[in-house]
Amino acid sequence: MAGKKLTVVISQSQSKNPKNRDLEESLAARLLMDGTVDVAVVPHLYDLHAEHTGMLFLKSVPGDLIVLSWLYPRPTRWVLHRQGVRGQEGMTLLEEEVDDDEMGDEAEESPGRGIGMGDLPNRKLYCIDMRVSSSVDDYFNEIQRIAKEKSVQTVDLMSWIQGSPKPEQLQRYLRTPETSVAQTNGNGHAPGVEEPEPVKRRWYPVIDYERCTNCLECIDFCLFGVYGVTDSDLILVETQDNCKKGCPACSRVCPENAIIFPGHKTPAIAGAPGEVAGFKIDLSKLFGAENSIDIAVRERDRELVADGRDAVGVAVGLRKRQADKDSKPKDELDDLMDSLDELSL
């Protein structure tokens, strides 16, 4: 029988921090008891491969979807997009507060310079960062608010599943959220049900196509075969497991801040909101410190040497970004640089 329920998916933290686990479990239990939405719990979103049952479940949801994860909303959205879980961006009121003064005049979620996401299905994806608050009430109330605004027509399970799933995959689908979350045996697993499919921590780049201009600087710079292009010459992450764990060098050389490493400690690289990496003025250059390109080259050389290859420095994969650009009238940055030059005379 068809019903009208919003689907909420809680993506678990990579860490075993008991506070994180308690927040996840308490929220899932409260949502289940309330009964307003359907609830499912999957391992950390970034670690799921395409055929993991958690990802297959996400792909099976036909209507509006709320995904709570321990990532910024932007990488969550693009990790889902990469795996074919697509939809229009749903707006949430539960967000990290960002100081407008720190972000500058150019702070914006989507600069509008990129290739774009193409045609999207007529449904909404709401991505919520579980690091924003430690209060179950905050997440519960926001989900309730979204649920009141949305009426999502769900269908029977068998019509969700696309293609020809394997019997063991189908068996995992038949576990209800109540079985997998509420009725556990103390070890986090339902009694009489096989252990969840194991996941390992992963490290790979995710492309934000709303920022990516397909300049292909990343494929030139990366020497590990991570990137490729489609038949229509569109950049994509082709062999993600070739990426060197902990290395974000390609993100540093991307002129549009379109490459995200969700697990990186630097917010700009991890996909924080706004143009946090798009500062017009790089103070490190003014004072002689390493800039992002210097760091990227050093990081790449380190991984090349670790692979038994020769370091290449700046000799390979770096374009002169201004070479094909027309000269323009001086702006505020030019005036500032001129003033600094005068001071040094």
Side-chain angles (χ1 to χ4, degrees):
M1 180 177 178
K4 292 185 177 181
K5 282 190 178 182
L6 187 66
T7 300
V8 176
V9 174
I10 299 173
S11 172
Q12 294 178 310
S13 169
Q14 287 177 322
S15 79
K16 303 296 184 181
N17 188 319
K19 290 184 179 180
N20 294 352
R21 284 289 185 260
D22 181 64
L23 180 59
E24 296 163 357
E25 294 171 4
S26 297
L27 177 60
R30 185 166 177 184
L31 290 169
L32 286 168
M33 292 178 63
D34 179 74
T36 303
V37 298
D38 287 327
V39 187
V41 178
V42 300
H44 196 279
L45 190 65
Y46 183 57
D47 293 334
L48 299 184
H49 59 76
E51 297 302 317
H52 189 282
T53 50
M55 187 58 69
L56 291 173
F57 172 77
L58 283 161
K59 293 177 182 179
S60 76
V61 178
D64 290 359
L65 176 64
I66 299 176
V67 178
L68 299 102
S69 69
W70 299 87
L71 299 170
Y72 292 113
R74 187 160 72 99
T76 296
R77 187 180 181 211
W78 288 105
V79 168
L80 291 170
H81 184 274
R82 167 181 166 79
Q83 297 292 356
V85 183
R86 300 176 181 178
Q88 301 169 24
E89 184 177 8
M91 303 307 294
T92 174
L93 302 181
L94 190 59
E95 297 178 336
E96 181 182 18
E97 293 186 4
V98 180
D99 190 334
D100 292 337
D101 292 334
E102 292 181 5
M103 297 297 290
D105 295 335
E106 295 189 358
E108 53 182 338
E109 278 299 308
S110 301
R113 299 184 289 268
I115 301 165
M117 302 180 75
D119 294 332
L120 296 174
N122 186 26
R123 64 143 173 189
K124 293 289 183 67
L125 297 181
Y126 299 85
C127 301
I128 299 176
D129 185 349
M130 293 196 71
R131 299 169 299 181
V132 170
S133 173
S134 59
S135 169
V136 172
D137 288 343
D138 289 342
Y139 299 104
F140 180 81
N141 292 337
E142 177 62 7
I143 291 168
Q144 291 293 299
R145 182 194 68 79
I146 295 172
K148 288 178 181 177
E149 293 182 354
K150 291 291 176 181
S151 179
V152 179
Q153 185 73 29
T154 59
V155 296
D156 292 336
L157 175 64
M158 290 308 297
S159 62
W160 285 7
I161 302 174
Q162 306 295 317
S164 302
K166 297 176 183 178
E168 60 270 21
Q169 294 172 337
L170 181 58
Q171 183 60 39
R172 292 191 181 103
Y173 271 124
L174 296 177
R175 280 183 272 168
T176 64
E178 289 81 2
T179 300
S180 60
V181 179
Q183 300 175 359
T184 60
N185 58 14
N187 297 319
H189 311 307
V193 180
E194 62 183 288
E195 294 287 307
E197 184 178 350
V199 294
K200 64 178 182 179
R201 289 201 178 191
R202 313 190 83 184
W203 179 270
Y204 58 90
V206 179
I207 299 174
D208 179 343
Y209 287 103
E210 288 186 339
R211 294 171 181 261
C212 174
T213 59
N214 210 42
C215 69
L216 304 183
E217 290 203 26
C218 51
I219 197 171
D220 287 343
F221 185 80
C222 177
L223 303 179
F224 302 102
V226 174
Y227 295 97
V229 293
T230 65
D231 292 339
S232 56
D233 292 329
L234 176 67
I235 189 70
L236 80 162
V237 178
E238 186 172 56
T239 315
Q240 66 183 37
D241 289 334
N242 281 2
C243 192
K244 301 301 180 179
K245 186 175 182 180
C247 175
C250 57
S251 178
R252 300 187 192 277
V253 302
C254 177
E256 299 296 339
N257 190 31
I259 298 176
I260 304 168
F261 284 89
H264 200 272
K265 62 182 180 181
T266 303
I269 295 175
E275 289 277 342
V276 293
F279 297 115
K280 281 188 175 181
I281 302 172
D282 186 346
L283 294 179
S284 66
K285 292 181 180 179
L286 300 182
F287 295 103
E290 280 190 315
N291 58 36
S292 60
I293 300 298
D294 296 330
I295 298 171
V297 168
R298 176 164 49 80
E299 289 169 336
R300 182 182 64 176
D301 280 349
R302 181 187 64 214
E303 299 302 334
L304 286 169
V305 171
D307 266 3
R309 300 162 65 181
D310 292 332
V312 296
V314 297
V316 176
L318 287 175
R319 300 182 185 179
K320 295 181 179 179
R321 295 180 183 171
Q322 307 299 324
D324 57 350
K325 293 185 178 181
D326 298 330
S327 59
K328 297 179 180 179
K330 289 187 176 182
D331 58 15
E332 293 180 0
L333 177 58
D334 293 318
D335 292 337
L336 174 60
M337 296 301 293
D338 289 342
S339 297
L340 291 170
D341 288 339
E342 291 175 2
L343 289 174
S344 62
L345 295 178

